[in-house]
Amino acid sequence: MTDTKRETLTRLFDAAQCKGVAYLLAIVTLGHMTVKDLRALTRDSEPTINKTLIELESRGLIQRS
């Protein structure tokens, strides 16, 4: 049985939290973003962005280069 879109989205929010989902949306839409790019877009602090990106990477949702 396949997951519904709602279940998939719920799992994504559970894994990434709201900020992480916003960052993922920006990265997927634009293909690549730096911390500086995310900071300009979201107005979040660099430590907040780095912490969130580390969490996303640890969950296998992104790969930082």
Side-chain angles (χ1 to χ4, degrees):
M1 181 175 167
T2 60
D3 289 333
T4 66
K5 289 179 183 180
R6 182 178 299 275
E7 289 167 337
T8 301
L9 191 58
T10 299
R11 279 200 328 272
L12 177 60
F13 271 87
D14 286 345
Q17 301 305 310
C18 289
K19 279 195 186 302
V21 173
Y23 296 172
L24 285 171
L25 177 62
I27 293 165
V28 168
T29 300
L30 299 175
H32 175 269
M33 293 197 80
T34 65
V35 171
K36 184 178 177 180
D37 295 334
L38 284 168
R39 189 161 190 243
L41 180 68
T42 66
R43 299 186 183 126
D44 289 337
S45 69
E46 189 172 328
T48 297
I49 293 169
N50 279 319
K51 179 182 177 210
T52 303
L53 292 176
I54 289 167
E55 291 172 2
L56 293 173
E57 187 174 33
S58 73
R59 289 173 173 81
L61 297 170
I62 64 168
Q63 183 176 0
R64 295 174 64 173
S65 55

